[in-house]
């Protein structure tokens, strides 16, 4: 959420930052609500003061025997009490309206984020690896002979409908090996703390990270009001929800492997073939909680962690910084990492790493106490895929495919497969 004091102090700058994201000026609407809210609070305080003064005078009028003055003051106390209640109710309503309005406003882009309208205006900042040259026409993952026995979309459709998959046998094992490899690398080499969290959360947790109220249609709500997480960002970030931690507690660096659930609202017709875009999938998610002055450096560090997974797997990729028109709702700056998929002859997103500044922290009221003393300050939050397991499986299968339909598997996975190095054209590990 946004700092109302910053909007009061420089509404033009706030509007200008929103304009970079294609959002119309809103400061006047925000400040009108804020002014009315503050006026109601002031009126309640003044009425309370009048009530207190009159209450003190009631006793004196009673003691003096001035019955008329006593009745006038008693009526005044009652009127002021009603006025206080009315003004407090009005202030609460206006405060709720202001909060609801600000909850729907996206984060302000960092100054170094490129301006642009959509993904075509994103800027490449890094590239690693050279896409392999094939002496045959490479296939997409679901068309590979070795993959077909272990990737069943028809059974999944019978069970659950479109955009689900049943993995079995060798393919399921490679998928599991990828998740374990990612976790081990992040824990042992990148210093993240392994965490296991629920996949069902209360609505206020979704509000905390920005999925609600604006994007409820993108997720699944259960009949009892819980929400299925779209990513472990929700649970990991909300670990500090409502807390005031010591400065020495920071940074906190978490990693979790979880099931994720997305309705994919508005994506009809996109990536319907194969398992590139699913309603249920797995991710290894990274979340960092930092002091404000360290968050930008942490963003680069987290990007490097995600890139390192692809490098160890030998998968070519490129990293782009998203333009203002392509960034997510809660991000100040986002790096998308796109892996090379030879079956599609293009790079496709496999990780988004975002720094959110204090945007989520304000929604969660997550703060830290400076070591030197002073008022608690809001933490900064960051999140990123490290990586999307299903998409990484796709990349491994397509980049390692051979002309006979088999797949050579990355060396980094061999220990997780008990020395097996390839997926045969018959769908077994060898």
């Amino acid at each position: 959420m946004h700092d109302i004091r910053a909007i009061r102090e420089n509404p033009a700058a706030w509007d200008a930052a929103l304009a970079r994201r294609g959002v119309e000026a809103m400061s006047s609407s925000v400040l009108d609500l804020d002014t009315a809210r503050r006026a109601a609070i002031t009126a309640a305080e003044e009425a309370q003061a009048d009530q207190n003064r009159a209450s003190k005078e009631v006793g004196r009028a009673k003691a003096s025997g001035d019955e008329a003055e006593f009745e006038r003051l008693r009526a005044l106390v009652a009127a002021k009490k009603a006025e206080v209640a009315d003004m407090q109710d009005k202030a609460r309503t206006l405060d709720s309206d202001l909060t609801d309005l600000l909850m729907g406003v996206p984060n302000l882009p960092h100054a170094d984020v490129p301006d642009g309208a959509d993904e075509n205006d994103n800027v490449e900042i890094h590239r690693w690896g050279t896409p392999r040259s094939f002496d045959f026409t490479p296939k997409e993952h679901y068309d590979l002979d070795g993959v077909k026995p272990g990737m069943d979309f028809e059974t999944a459709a019978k069970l659950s409908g479109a955009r689900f998959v049943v993995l079995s046998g060798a393919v399921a094992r490679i998928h599991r090996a990828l998740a374990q490899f990612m976790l081990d690398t992040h824990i042992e080499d990148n210093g993240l703390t392994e965490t296991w969290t629920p996949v069902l959360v209360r609505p206020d947790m979704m509000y905390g990270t920005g999925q609600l109220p604006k994007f409820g249609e993108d997720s699944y709500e259960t009949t009892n009001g819980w929400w299925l997480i779209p990513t472990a960002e929700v649970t990991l970030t909300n670990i500090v929800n409502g807390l005031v931690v010591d400065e020495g507690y920071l940074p906190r660096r978490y990693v979790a492997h979880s099931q994720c659930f997305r309705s994919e609202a508005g994506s009809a017709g996109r990536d319907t073939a194969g398992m590139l875009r699913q309603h249920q999938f797995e991710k290894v998610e990274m979340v960092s909680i930092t002091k404000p002055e360290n968050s930008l450096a942490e963003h680069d560090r987290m990007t490097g962690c995600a890139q390192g997974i692809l490098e160890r797997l030998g998968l070519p990729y490129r990293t782009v910084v998203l333009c203002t028109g392509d960034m997510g709702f809660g991000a100040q700056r986002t790096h998308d990492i796109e892996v090379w998929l030879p079956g599609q002859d293009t790079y496709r997103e496999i990780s988004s790493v975002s720094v959110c500044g204090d945007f989520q922290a304000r929604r969660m009221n997550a703060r830290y106490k400076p070591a030197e003393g002073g008022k608690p300050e809001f933490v900064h939050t960051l999140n990123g895929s490290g990586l999307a397991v299903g998409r990484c499986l796709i990349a491994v299968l397509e980049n390692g495919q051979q002309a006979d339909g088999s797949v050579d598997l990355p060396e980094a996975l061999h220990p997780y497969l008990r020395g097996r190095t390839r997926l045969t054209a018959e769908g077994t590990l060898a």
Side-chain angles (χ1 to χ4, degrees):
M1 207 161 67
H2 297 273
D3 183 357
I4 188 63
R5 288 174 297 180
I7 302 171
R8 289 181 200 138
E9 291 168 3
N10 199 338
W14 193 67
D15 284 339
L18 289 180
R20 295 184 61 206
R21 297 198 64 154
V23 177
E24 293 182 2
M26 298 185 63
S27 63
S28 60
S29 299
V30 170
L31 294 178
D32 284 348
L33 270 176
D34 180 50
T35 299
R37 178 184 66 91
R38 295 168 78 188
I41 293 171
T42 299
E45 292 172 347
E46 291 174 349
Q48 183 71 67
D50 291 342
Q51 179 188 341
N52 292 341
R53 282 192 295 269
S55 295
K56 292 177 181 178
E57 294 172 5
V58 165
R60 287 194 290 269
K62 182 70 172 176
S64 68
D66 189 342
E67 202 62 31
E69 181 64 5
F70 171 74
E71 292 298 335
R72 185 189 72 82
L73 289 171
R74 192 168 67 167
L76 178 61
V77 169
K80 288 299 178 182
K81 184 178 181 180
E83 185 180 346
V84 169
D86 182 59
M87 288 297 101
Q88 288 177 339
D89 285 345
K90 184 177 181 181
R92 280 191 291 268
T93 298
L94 289 167
D95 187 65
S96 178
D97 291 344
L98 179 60
T99 298
D100 289 346
L101 178 58
L102 290 176
M103 278 280 193
V105 180
N107 203 351
L108 305 182
H110 194 269
D112 65 5
V113 172
D115 290 330
D118 53 36
E119 61 185 15
N120 296 312
D121 296 317
N122 296 338
V123 177
E124 183 176 318
I125 57 174
H126 179 66
R127 186 177 289 234
W128 185 90
T130 302
R132 172 182 157 201
S133 295
F134 291 83
D135 56 8
F136 59 93
T137 301
K139 296 179 179 180
E140 294 201 56
H141 58 287
Y142 52 85
D143 277 334
L144 295 172
D145 288 342
V147 173
K148 289 178 180 178
M151 191 174 288
D152 187 347
F153 297 100
E154 290 185 5
T155 298
K158 178 183 71 175
L159 296 172
S160 305
R163 295 197 175 182
F164 291 91
V165 66
V166 172
L167 302 181
S168 63
V171 175
R173 189 168 180 182
I174 297 167
H175 184 263
R176 174 164 55 88
L178 281 167
Q180 294 303 307
F181 162 69
M182 293 174 195
L183 279 175
D184 287 350
T185 301
H186 289 313
I187 296 161
E188 300 293 340
D189 300 334
N190 297 333
L192 279 63
T193 299
E194 183 174 8
T195 314
W196 190 91
T197 66
V199 296
L200 285 167
V201 295
R202 301 183 305 176
D204 48 326
M205 300 298 107
M206 297 282 279
Y207 276 94
T209 45
Q211 282 77 24
L212 294 177
K214 196 167 185 179
F215 302 102
E217 65 176 7
D218 294 329
S219 296
Y220 293 106
E221 183 181 13
T222 66
T223 55
N224 64 355
W226 284 335
W227 289 78
L228 286 165
I229 60 170
T231 162
E233 170 200 347
V234 176
T235 46
L236 294 176
T237 308
N238 275 289
I239 287 174
V240 293
N241 188 312
L243 299 182
V244 180
V245 301
D246 291 329
E247 182 177 334
Y249 178 87
L250 304 175
R252 305 303 290 181
R253 293 168 174 152
Y254 301 109
V255 63
H257 169 217
S258 77
Q259 296 283 343
C260 306
F261 305 87
R262 293 183 185 171
S263 68
E264 295 291 349
S267 63
R270 295 177 57 199
D271 304 320
T272 54
M275 59 178 295
L276 193 67
R277 192 180 294 273
Q278 300 273 283
H279 291 307
Q280 177 184 341
F281 55 96
E282 293 183 23
K283 279 178 68 179
V284 171
E285 183 77 3
M286 306 178 292
V287 162
S288 288
I289 315 293
T290 74
K291 294 191 296 183
E293 61 268 27
N294 297 335
S295 63
L296 292 180
E298 184 72 5
H299 188 214
D300 292 335
R301 190 199 68 81
M302 290 176 69
T303 301
C305 290
Q307 291 173 161
I309 297 292
L310 292 173
E311 291 174 14
R312 293 187 187 205
L313 293 171
L315 299 173
Y317 69 87
R318 68 174 196 152
T319 303
V320 301
V321 57
L322 299 191
C323 70
T324 53
D326 199 31
M327 283 199 310
F329 179 80
Q332 278 186 338
R333 183 175 72 189
T334 298
H335 293 155
D336 264 15
I337 303 171
E338 301 174 349
V339 69
W340 177 254
L341 297 184
Q344 293 190 10
D345 194 34
T346 191
Y347 289 95
R348 297 301 301 263
E349 177 203 333
I350 196 168
S351 173
S352 281
V353 185
S354 298
V355 55
C356 301
D358 63 4
F359 184 80
Q360 292 177 325
R362 288 181 179 277
R363 300 168 79 98
M364 299 185 301
N365 195 26
R367 297 171 291 164
Y368 75 98
K369 291 186 292 187
E372 67 276 11
K375 292 176 61 176
E377 300 178 23
F378 287 106
V379 299
H380 277 197
T381 62
L382 304 96
N383 62 81
S385 309
L387 304 160
V389 182
R391 291 196 174 194
C392 199
L393 173 66
I394 292 171
V396 163
L397 296 173
E398 291 194 9
N399 281 277
Q401 65 180 289
Q402 305 301 311
D404 65 353
S406 64
V407 177
D408 287 346
L409 300 171
E411 185 176 348
L413 294 185
H414 296 175
Y416 295 88
L417 300 171
R418 297 199 174 185
R420 276 80 162 193
T421 63
R422 52 194 294 272
L423 174 68
T424 70
E426 292 72 40
T428 61
L429 289 171

